[in-house]
Amino acid sequence: MLKRLDKIRFRGHKRDDFLDLAESPNASDTECGDEVPLKIPRTSTRDSEELRDPAGPGTLIMAAGVQDFNRTEFDRLNEIKGHLEIALLEKHFLQEELRKLREETNSEMLRQELDRERQRRIELEQKVQEVLKARSEEQTAQQPLKGQAQANNGADRRSQGLCPRVQKWFYEKFGEYVEDFRFQPEESTVETEEPLSARRLTENMRRLKRGAKPVTSFVKNLSALSDWYSVYTSAIAFTVYMNAVWHGWAIPMFLFLAILRLSLNYLIARGWRIQWSIVPEVSEPVEPPKEDLTVSEKFQLVLDVAQKAQNLFGKMADILEKIKNLFMWVQPEITQKLYVALWAAFLASCFFPYRLVGLAVGLYAGIKFFLIDFIFKRCPRLRAKYDTPYIIWRSLPTDPQLKERSSTAVSRRLQTASSRSYVSSAPASLNKDEDTGRFHGTKKGNFHEIFNLTENERPLPVCENGWRCCLINRDRKMPTDYIRNGVLYVTENYLCFESSKSGSSKRNKVIKLVDITDIQKYKVLSVLPGSGMGIAVSTPSTQKPLVFGAMVHRDEAFETIFSQYMKITAAAASGSDS
C-alpha cells in the first residue's frame, strides 16, 4: 500500500522540483506536521553570472522571474492535487479496515455483553445502597438515648459492636444462598436452525433408531413374556410376580429389578459381555455411509428417510389423536365406559383399604398380562368379542377418520336430497332402479351397460369418478393394445377399466376380485426415484400381471382394492366352510 501511495504522490514532476510544503497554506495536516527540510532552488552558471554582473540587462532578469513564478504556481497545484488524492485513498483504506474490524470483532455481541455488564453493575450498586441503608438504620435505631445512664450507654455500645459482626458473619455464610433466590428476568435464546441436508437427515434417523433401541427391546421382552415365548422364563416370572403381589412386595420387587438392571449396565459399560434377552437379538448390518452419491441416489435417500419419518409421525399422531378423542367425548359411548370405571375406582379407593385395593389390582394385572392376553392373542375372534380395552382402542377414531365420516355423511345427505328431487321431477313411468342407475354412470353412458354388469354393481363411494391411469398388458404384442389410457373403477365384486379411446367395449377390462391371485404396488420404471405409481394385478387368465400405471392416487386405490379383495375372499372362505 505504501508503494502505491508513493507512486500516486510522485506521479507529477519530480520531488526535487516541488517547493517547500511548510510555506503552502493549502497543504494537508499530515504533511504539514512533518519536519520538511528547506529546499534551495538551483541556478545555472549563466544566471549566476548575470546576477553577479550589476550592469547586466534588466529585461532578462525580469523574464526569468516571471517564468519561475508561473512554474512554482503550477507545482503547488500539482502538489495540492496529489495530497487530496492521497487523503481520499487513505480514507478509503481506513474505511475498509474499519469494516473488517467490525466483522471480526462482532460489535453486536460486545454491545449486548456491555449492556448486561451495565445492568449487573446497576444491580450491584442497588444492593450496596440497600446494605448501607440497612446498616445506617440499624445504627440509628441502636444509638443510646441522651437521658439514659452510663451503664445503659456501655451496654448499647457493646450491642452496636455485636450486631454488625453478626450481620457480617451471616452474610459471609449465607449470602451466596440468599442471592440464589433473587428473581432475574429470563434470557430468551433463539436456536439457529440447520439447513436441510440429506446426510444430516439420514444421520438423525439413525440416531433416533439407536436411541429407541433399548425401549423397543424392552417392549419386545414384555411381549415375549406375555406370549410365553420361553415357557420356563414366563412361568418363573408369573410365579414370582404373583407371590410378590400376594405378600405386598410388588413395589420392592420392581425397585430391585431396576437396581439390578442398572448394575448390569454398569458392568456392560466396564467391558463385561452380558447379554440377557428373552427374544434373541438380530444384529442388522450397518451400511457404511457413501461419500460420493449421484443426484438420483441422494434423491432416493431423501425419499426413503422422508417415508420412514412420515410413517413414524403418522403412528404417533394416531396414538395422540385417539387419546385426545377418548377424553373429549368424541364418541360418548366409549368415553362413558371410562367415566364409569373412574367413578368405580374412586369409590373403591374411598371405602376399601389400600392394601386390599392394591392386591386386587395387582392380581388382575398379573392374570391379564400372563393368561388372558395369551388366550386373546391365540384366538382373534374371542379377542374381538370380549377384550374390552382392545375393542375400545380399535373403535377410537382419529381426526382424518372423523373428517372422512363427516364428508361421507354430507355427501349421502346431498345424494338423498338430489335423488328425492329427481324422483319428484321424473316421469311416472320410470321406476326407482332406473333413476338410481343414472347417477352412477360414466362419460359414455350408464355404468352397468358399458361393462355388461348387473344394475346392482356400482362404483364404491371412494371412486365414483374413478382413477385416471394407463393399463399395461404385457401379453399383447401390438403397441396399440400394449398401453391403454383410461379410468379405473372398483365395485363390490369387480375391478373395471374403461378405455378412453372411442370404439367398442372390447377395449374395456373387467376383472373379478375373486379371480385375483396377487395384488401389489408396482414401479413401472426403475430408473425414476420413488416407489412408483402403479398397481400390479395377477389373474389365472393372464401369463404376466396387468399393471395399472401412471396413477396419481396410487396408495388410495391400492388400499381400496385390497380391502375389498380381502372382504370378498373372507366372505368366500366363510361360505365354503359353512
Side-chain angles (χ1 to χ4, degrees), residues 15 20-22 29-38:
R15 182 68 179 174
D20 186 14
L21 297 178
D29 297 337
T30 57
E31 295 292 336
C32 293
D34 301 330
E35 293 181 1
V36 182
L38 296 176

Side-chain angles (χ1 to χ4, degrees), residues 322-392:
K322 285 187 176 184
I323 295 173
K324 184 219 16 167
N325 294 331
L326 175 63
F327 287 97
M328 293 304 296
W329 294 84
V330 175
Q331 283 191 348
E333 63 275 6
I334 297 176
T335 311
Q336 187 177 2
K337 296 179 181 179
L338 177 64
Y339 189 72
V340 173
L342 290 176
W343 270 110
F346 171 72
L347 295 176
S349 64
C350 291
F351 293 102
F352 295 101
Y354 286 103
R355 183 178 179 83
L356 182 60
V357 174
L359 179 62
V361 173
L363 292 176
Y364 172 75
I367 295 171
K368 177 75 167 58
F369 181 79
F370 286 97
L371 300 178
I372 299 177
D373 287 347
F374 174 75
I375 297 172
F376 282 156
K377 288 179 181 179
R378 293 295 184 273
C379 305
R381 293 184 179 180
L382 193 65
R383 184 177 190 179
K385 292 181 180 179
Y386 301 105
D387 193 358
T388 305
Y390 175 78
I391 295 170
I392 291 175

Side-chain angles (χ1 to χ4, degrees), residues 44-54:
S44 63
T45 56
R46 183 179 178 182
D47 294 337
S48 61
E49 290 177 357
E50 290 177 355
L51 290 174
R52 291 175 185 175
D53 189 5

